[in-house]
Structure formats: C-alpha cells, structure tokens
C-alpha cells in the first residue's frame, strides 16, 4: 500500500490552527513588532509544532528578498578551523532572523570581482561578506556603487566609509615585536601576507616601527609569504636558521606558519627560550598542546563572524554606514 505524502504546512494551516488571520500569521512569523509578543509566540510555537518551513521562492517573489547571505571565502587559511569558527559566529548573529548562509568560493589570484558581480546581478543573496581586503578593493567600490549590502573582514583606504570588521594586526605585530625585544632579541623575522592585502601593510607597520624604535633589525623576506605552502615555508625557514646571521625572534602571523617555524627551529638544532623565541597569533587551542610553550596572541574568529553578522543586519536596517566599523584588539597570552 502506498502511503500518501504529508501535506506541507502553509500560512493558512497555521492560521486555522491558531484562529488568526493569514496576514497576522505572516507578520508574526516575520517578528513584526506591531504584533503583540504573546501573539508572535503563539504563532511561532504553532509553526514549530506543525513543522512549517517558509517557502523561500514565494518569499522572494513577494518581497524581493532571498533571505540568503553569501559568504565569500578562500578555503586555504593561516588558521586551523578558520571557516568553522567564522561561520559559527555568523550563525549565532543570524539565529532567529530567518537568514541562512551560503559559502561561495573566493579563489585568490583570480578576478575576485566576478564572483561578487555574479551574486549581485543574479540576485543570489541579500548581502555579501568577504575577507582578504585590498587597500582599494574593487569589490568594495562596486558594492558601494550598487548600493548592495555588504561587510568585509578587513579595512580599505577608501575615504568613503563602508561596513567592515577587522583585527588590529598593526597592534599585534607591534606587541609581538616588543615582547621579543623584552627578551633580549635583536634580529626579528616576520613573514607577511602578499603585499596586495591591507593587513600586510598593517603588520609591516607594527613590526618595523617597534624594531626601529629600539634600534634593532626586522627581516621581511621576499622569497616567501603567508600564502606559501607549509612545506616550502618549513624548508626556507630551516635553511635561514642555519645561517650565521639567523634571526633570534620570529613573529608568526598564523598557526600553520607557527608550526612550520617550530619544526624549522627543531631541525636547525635550536630551542625556544634559549637561542630563539617565538610569538604566534592563534585562533584555536592548538598551542595548549605544544611543548615547549610559546607566547601567543588570540584573534577571536568566532567573535569576528558574530560581529560581521550583526553589522550586516544593521546595514539591512538602514543604519548609517559611518557607524558600521568594528576593530577587534589582540588578546595577549604571554607565559
């Protein structure tokens, strides 16, 4: 015997269940503050009990909104668990709003504007979140001109304000350098992201200014970058640490880079806390498991994701762009 398919609950189903008008049910599910809180709670409970799922296609035709936020991310990162932490924080901010998140690949080195154009022109989302900004990022210019809601993880040098959430990489690099200098280190090394990215300049300013203030050197290699593979980074660092003028203090911009540095230090026959010291930026609890311990500074990626979600919701609500910028500070965890 073939079982009949269960009929999908609709707004009319909830209206019949609660004795309310369909328009009242619709507004209650949209969390319209003009509907009494008790009525909203009644409708939302009935929707949950009946297994009601909004028809996104119908919503889009009616309102012009997709209720989707597109998250553009490259899938290779300097942090382990980067995508998970960022999406977790973003999901926390969007909980209860009806918005869902779709991950859209951002291929570094390609035409990064094409993905943004595709989302906007095909109306694949109501807003866009992206990272790895450039000083004069074409995506920021395009989205601003289009009046399309967005928030980026990173700043630009545009004079017209736009929504962003960022980590103070200049402060991170400066504090890390000063920590190494306080330990008597005089030959610092920092491997930066490719120069096209805004945070590469912030890191450079922080490390170099601290080194200059104390009259010591800060090496920034041209041969490798933060985006160099971990195998190549390990090989380069191993070779560099075996030279007579080797660095005695390393600032690591991410967890993967720090692991390569610790491997190279061991391969070169050196030991942390004796011939060399390390300060690493972290976003997970990974370094709690390592010995010897190294000084770390936290970049809270879950907080970044949550902040970007909140900023985007404020942009949707029409809040002035000039107030939609958040700069998170590093949390020091020195031994």
């Amino acid at each position: 015997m073939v079982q009949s398919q269960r009929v999908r609950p609709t707004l009319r189903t909830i209206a019949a269940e609660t004795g309310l008008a369909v328009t009242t049910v619709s507004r209650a599910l949209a969390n319209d503050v003009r509907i009494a809180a008790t009525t909203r709670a009644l409708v939302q409970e009935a929707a949950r009990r009946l297994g009601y799922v909004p028809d996104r296609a119908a919503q889009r035709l009616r309102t012009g909104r997709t209720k989707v936020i597109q998250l553009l991310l490259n899938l290779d990162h300097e942090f382990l668990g980067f995508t998970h932490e960022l999406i977790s924080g973003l999901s926390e901010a969007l909980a209860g709003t009806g918005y869902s998140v779709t991950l859209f690949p951002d291929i570094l080195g390609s035409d990064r504007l094409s993905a943004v154009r595709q989302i906007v022109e095909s109306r694949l989302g109501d807003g866009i979140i992206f990272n790895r900004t450039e000083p004069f990022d074409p995506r920021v210019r395009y989205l601003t001109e289009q009046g399309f809601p967005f928030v980026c993880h990173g700043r630009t040098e545009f004079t017209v304000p736009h929504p962003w959430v960022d980590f103070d990489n200049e402060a991170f690099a400066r504090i890390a350098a000063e920590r190494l200098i306080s330990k008597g280190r005089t030959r610092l090394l920092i491997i930066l992201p490719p120069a096209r990215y805004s945070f590469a300049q912030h890191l450079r300013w922080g490390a170099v200014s601290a080194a200059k203030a104390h009259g010591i050197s800060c090496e920034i290699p041209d041969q490798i970058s933060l985006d160099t593979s971990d195998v190549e980074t390990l090989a380069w660092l191993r070779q560099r640490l075996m030279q007579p003028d080797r660095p005695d203090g390393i600032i690591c911009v991410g967890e993967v880079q720090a692991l390569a540095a610790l491997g190279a230090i061991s391969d070169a026959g050196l030991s942390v806390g004796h011939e060399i010291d390390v300060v690493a930026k972290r976003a997970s609890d990974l370094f709690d498991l390592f010995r010897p311990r190294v000084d770390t500074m936290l970049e809270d990626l879950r907080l970044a994701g949550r902040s970007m979600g909140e900023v985007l919701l404020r942009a949707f609500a029409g809040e002035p762009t000039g107030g939609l910028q958040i700069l998170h500070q590093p949390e020091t965890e020195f031994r």
Side-chain angles (χ1 to χ4, degrees):
M1 180 178 178
V2 179
Q3 284 187 322
S4 60
Q5 281 191 322
R6 182 184 176 189
V7 177
R8 178 176 177 173
T10 65
L11 294 177
R12 292 186 181 280
T13 310
I14 302 172
E17 177 76 10
T18 58
L20 298 168
V22 172
T23 53
T24 302
V25 169
S26 177
R27 290 166 60 189
L29 288 173
N31 210 26
D32 188 334
V33 295
R34 292 171 293 182
I35 302 298
T38 53
T39 302
R40 281 181 276 157
L42 172 68
V43 170
Q44 289 163 5
E45 169 57 25
R48 184 198 63 76
R49 187 173 64 254
L50 293 168
Y52 171 76
V53 178
D55 186 333
R56 291 194 181 275
Q59 282 185 337
R60 181 172 182 175
L61 287 172
R62 187 173 65 254
T63 67
R65 290 181 174 271
T66 65
K67 300 297 284 187
V68 171
I69 291 172
Q70 293 285 356
L71 176 62
L72 273 71
L73 284 181
N74 59 301
L75 301 181
D76 294 321
H77 299 284
E78 62 269 26
F79 295 116
L80 303 173
F82 178 96
T83 302
H84 174 267
E85 288 299 309
L86 207 67
I87 291 179
S88 294
L90 181 56
S91 299
E92 290 172 7
L94 300 177
T97 65
Y99 280 98
S100 61
V101 179
T102 299
L103 187 62
F104 204 106
D106 178 25
I107 303 173
L108 301 181
S110 66
D111 178 9
R112 304 173 78 198
L113 183 56
S114 62
V116 171
R117 285 185 181 276
Q118 182 181 350
I119 292 169
V120 173
E121 293 172 2
S122 301
R123 197 65 188 185
L124 300 179
D126 297 331
I128 300 177
I129 294 175
F130 56 90
N131 70 342
R132 286 291 185 105
T133 56
E134 301 171 18
F136 296 98
D137 200 302
R139 300 169 299 177
V140 171
R141 180 185 289 110
Y142 172 76
L143 290 167
T144 301
E145 291 172 349
Q146 294 294 317
F148 194 89
F150 74 95
V151 57
C152 50
H153 190 210
R155 286 164 282 171
T156 68
E157 294 182 18
F158 289 118
T159 55
V160 176
H162 63 82
W164 54 260
V165 173
D166 201 6
F167 176 78
D168 196 338
N169 278 291
E170 182 177 354
F172 159 76
R174 184 183 67 254
I175 294 168
E178 289 171 348
R179 175 63 172 176
L180 292 170
I181 293 166
S182 73
K183 291 187 171 186
R185 303 309 179 186
T186 59
R187 298 186 303 277
L188 308 187
L189 170 70
I190 181 171
I191 300 172
L192 294 178
R196 65 185 288 197
Y197 300 123
S198 297
F199 77 128
Q201 305 307 319
H202 302 155
L203 288 162
R204 178 186 295 271
W205 293 334
V208 171
S209 63
K212 283 185 176 179
H214 291 83
I216 67 168
S217 66
C218 181
E219 179 181 353
I220 301 174
D222 294 325
Q223 303 93 326
I224 60 172
S225 75
L226 182 64
D227 290 349
T228 301
S229 73
D230 50 357
V231 173
E232 291 177 275
T233 300
L234 173 63
W236 187 91
L237 282 169
R238 182 191 297 122
Q239 184 271 339
R240 182 69 186 87
L241 290 175
M242 290 179 177
Q243 296 174 1
D245 63 342
R246 60 171 177 78
D248 59 7
I250 302 178
I251 301 170
C252 296
V253 178
E255 293 167 339
V256 175
Q257 188 184 96
L259 293 177
L262 292 174
I265 289 169
S266 177
D267 290 348
L270 307 174
S271 57
V272 173
H274 295 279
E275 301 92 349
I276 193 167
D277 278 299
V278 172
V279 177
K281 190 202 293 187
R282 74 169 186 87
S284 70
D285 296 330
L286 177 71
F287 286 97
D288 293 341
L289 305 176
F290 276 82
R291 300 294 182 276
R293 290 185 178 275
V294 299
D295 288 327
T296 59
M297 298 170 69
L298 174 67
E299 178 174 354
D300 192 334
L301 294 175
R302 187 175 293 247
L303 174 61
R306 188 162 60 248
S307 296
M308 286 192 287
E310 292 168 352
V311 167
L312 191 56
L313 291 174
R314 288 161 59 192
F316 287 158
E319 188 169 324
T321 306
L324 300 179
Q325 292 92 26
I326 298 175
L327 183 62
H328 291 142
Q329 296 300 312
E331 298 179 27
T332 57
E333 301 169 325
F334 296 155
R335 296 174 289 123

